Amino acid sequence: MSMAEQEPLQLPAQCEGRSSVSYRAVTVEPALFLVALSMSLSGAVLTQLFLVRSCEITLEMNISTCALLISHPDLPAAREVEAQSQPHAAVLQMAKMLIEACIPAVLSLFLGPWSDLHGRKPLLLWPILGFSVMFFMYTGFSLITSLPPHFLLLSSLPIAFSGGFISIISSAFSFMSDITVPEKRASRMGLLDAGLFSGFLVGTYGSAHLFSIAGQFGYVAVFATCAICCLIAFFYTWFCIEESVPQRQLDCNSSGLSGLFDRRLFFNMMHTCSKRREHYGRAIIFLVISAVSTSVITMEGEAAVVYLFTRNKFEWDIHKHTTFSTVSMLVIVLGTVFGSILLSSWLQIPDDIFAMIAFFTKTVSAAIFAVAPAGWVMYLGCMFGLFGGVTGPLGRSIMSKTVPQQDVGTVFSLASLTQSLMPLASAPLYTMLYKATLLTFPAAFFVMSTVILGLDLILITIVFIIQLRFSKEKPKEVLMLERSPEVPQQ
């Protein structure tokens, strides 16, 4: 390969510019809400389907015996059946997460830099459509009662090849960074995350109810509803969302899909993220990416086993678990909105200090989960995790203020790459740890989360120290220049 081929893509000077998207109080939030609604609506139901199919097909048990897992999970007979089925269901859950992580990890090498040149909107549309196809496949597969459970994993392929949920998150936050001024960015991204968690909240609460109301067609009702919600999100994005990348920039980079796998996009990402920057900018980027990405390990890892954990330790059925998950999401939504509006926007607490507070609350919350002797203590842990939902938006806000606007999508792409790789470690790690400690200390995975989040808190503290030193060295005229509005406030 010649050196010319390895040169990063450069944006022509005449193509540079800010977005001309007009002020709108609501932009991509409805689409993210609907996708999050679909994911949470199907989450526990899909895990239950893995559990039941493992019992009926893999272990070849009687159908009426396996039905106890749904109708009477607290009976001794059901507990015995579940103890045999859970390891198989956990492996299926792990495989699903790995499939949905590996391919998006490769695609993220190109998608972020490509979106800097060709726009954010395609990277919202593709994975949303992939989610629609995935849920339609789950709907069909759930009707085939004799289908081996590992065939359900085929449904993960459409979302994996379309970029995954991490692509939606990256493009949505890049879009928000394009249309907001730095002073409003943290609060606006926080509200975007609040919309996301609101979808998780509604879906988690409605999951068990919809499944119960539909009776014998519970799986079909849940998955079909998810597919329709994603289709609505797709058409909303297509018709109602304006492209945030300036039109003249799109005109100058009109290669479209043919340039998606241009090798220079990869070199452009490596060059942009690793080049030396003033005031320790490169160190800040990698510290924030490390903290935000490793926190994903705890989120993805816990998601793989927490339903099985609550069934095993507290004898919660799907209704009790979804109630807990609903309260947990509600606390996160309230904390995100409260933090974004009051602490970030009104009191103007710096992003790094707010991030330290958020990671501290997440660490305390995980520690409480680890030692919870009864179910009500899990709710107490939720309350301590009030600001746990703002770590991602705050991290992206810090990074977006560290690099020029035309590099934001590229830097977010590296963050997306590392985040999409995390399930490769978290799913097997948490699953194996849970299986190994199932009969002795099933909450051991929460101890691991506490340690990881504590290390993330240390990384963000280092960012705070660096920026504190930088603020003392920064010339006043530079501060005044940064505060001057460059785009319409949102």
Side-chain angles (χ1 to χ4, degrees), residues 256-275:
L257 290 178
S258 63
L260 178 58
F261 294 103
D262 190 330
R263 287 172 293 183
R264 290 176 296 172
L265 293 174
F266 170 74
F267 292 115
N268 181 61
M269 184 178 71
M270 294 295 101
H271 171 76
T272 299
C273 296
S274 62
K275 69 181 180 182

Side-chain angles (χ1 to χ4, degrees), residues 205-263:
Y205 178 76
S207 178
H209 296 287
L210 178 59
F211 183 83
S212 299
I213 292 172
Q216 61 178 330
F217 298 104
Y219 294 116
V220 175
V222 170
F223 296 137
T225 301
C226 295
I228 293 172
C229 287
C230 288
L231 276 180
I232 295 173
F234 175 79
F235 287 112
Y236 168 83
T237 303
W238 192 351
F239 292 110
C240 301
I241 299 298
E242 302 176 50
E243 178 57 65
S244 63
V245 175
Q247 183 60 46
R248 59 181 178 278
Q249 181 173 324
L250 298 177
D251 293 339
C252 290
N253 300 281
S254 56
S255 58
L257 290 178
S258 63
L260 178 58
F261 294 103
D262 190 330
R263 287 172 293 183

Side-chain angles (χ1 to χ4, degrees), residues 8-22:
L9 290 170
Q10 299 293 329
L11 185 65
Q14 65 270 23
C15 295
E16 295 180 358
R18 292 280 189 165
S19 169
S20 60
V21 176
S22 58

